[in-house]
Amino acid sequence: EAQVTQNPRYLITVTGKKLTVTCSQNMNHEYMSWYRQDPGLGLRQIYYSMNVEVTDKGDVPEGYKVSRKEKRNFPLILESPSPNQTSLYFCASSLRRGAQTSSGELFFGEGSRLTVL
Amino acid sequence: GENVEQHPSTLSVQEGDSAVIKCTYSDSASNYFPWYKQELGKRPQLIIDIRSNVGEKKDQRIAVTLNKTAKHFSLHITETQPEDSAVYFCAAPSGSARQLTFGSGTQLTVLP
């Protein structure tokens, strides 16, 4: 089954304790991205990756890191979480993305609800 | 970068009535406009999209219209049903189409 898998789905942590949210897709997609969803603010992009070893900042990258060492995986790292990073996080992937190529469907993971105390 | 504004933020309609959600965008180079539906507790999923070479696209009870001159596009849902109740997001490309910027979302409630 084609899917985007995130883990953990739910996490409560404390300020300053490093954590990683994993994301894996099995569709051989080139493009992967992380979004956070907050009430009234919609989906805001944190980081994205056009392909392996290529990552770029989105609109709200502060406090986050990512890596893309393999095509299927795109982990989100919070080195020192703070309460303002309490949010619902979505990983998403698409076949490819860019001005000269088909801007196709984004497939989302099930979401990871993070609470930072 | 792209700025996408979505209105209204909440919308309640009677079952069987129509619902319209509107979005405006700022980047005149944008050429792809998708709509995503997010049911309660679920992930967003694409329901319809439109490219800039057409003005309207329909898929059963949903349709999207695009006005490139005015830089706005709209989602139309006819004969609404309770299962249409969800949050709807519009989006537009930015950053040379490498990014997808979402609107703030519309909570649609279909009243029985």
Side-chain angles (χ1 to χ4, degrees), chain A residues 31 37 45 97 103 106 110, chain B residues 32 38 43 97-99:
Chain A
Y31 183 90
Q37 183 175 11
Q45 192 172 43
R97 186 157 300 277
S103 296
L106 262 183
E110 292 185 311
Chain B
Y32 170 72
Q38 184 181 27
R43 74 190 82 189
R98 292 173 298 173
Q99 297 176 251

Side-chain angles (χ1 to χ4, degrees), chain A residues 3-4 9 31 35 37 40-43 45 48 50 56-59 88 90 97-99 102-106 108-110, chain B residues 1-2 31-32 36 38 41-47 49 51 87 89 93-105:
Chain A
Q3 58 187 358
V4 179
R9 296 286 316 283
Y31 183 90
Y35 287 88
Q37 183 175 11
L41 297 177
L43 294 157
Q45 192 172 43
Y48 64 96
M50 298 291 285
D56 281 293
K57 295 179 180 179
D59 298 318
L88 177 60
F90 284 101
R97 186 157 300 277
S102 172
S103 296
E105 179 177 0
L106 262 183
F108 285 84
E110 292 185 311
Chain B
E2 180 72 275
N31 59 4
Y32 170 72
Y36 285 78
Q38 184 181 27
K42 301 285 184 66
R43 74 190 82 189
Q45 291 188 292
L46 179 72
I47 54 171
D49 57 19
R51 299 185 188 277
V87 177
F89 293 100
S94 59
S96 299
R98 292 173 298 173
Q99 297 176 251
L100 199 61
T101 298
F102 285 83
S104 54

Side-chain angles (χ1 to χ4, degrees), chain A residues 52-99:
Chain A
V52 176
E53 300 292 2
V54 180
T55 62
D56 281 293
K57 295 179 180 179
D59 298 318
V60 288
E62 295 78 19
Y64 305 94
K65 288 175 60 176
V66 293
S67 66
R68 187 90 182 273
K69 297 177 182 176
E70 305 165 287
K71 195 171 188 177
R72 63 184 292 129
N73 296 323
F74 191 46
L76 179 70
I77 303 159
L78 286 73
E79 293 272 4
S80 182
S82 62
N84 64 11
Q85 293 179 298
T86 292
S87 187
L88 177 60
Y89 291 87
F90 284 101
C91 180
S93 72
S94 66
L95 185 60
R96 60 184 60 86
R97 186 157 300 277

Side-chain angles (χ1 to χ4, degrees), chain A residues 21-51:
Chain A
V21 186
T22 64
C23 175
S24 180
Q25 50 91 8
N26 63 0
M27 296 171 278
N28 201 35
H29 284 171
E30 291 182 358
Y31 183 90
M32 297 187 74
S33 180
W34 278 100
Y35 287 88
R36 61 177 288 174
Q37 183 175 11
D38 302 289
L41 297 177
L43 294 157
R44 293 181 294 167
Q45 192 172 43
I46 303 170
Y47 269 95
Y48 64 96
S49 170
M50 298 291 285
N51 213 324

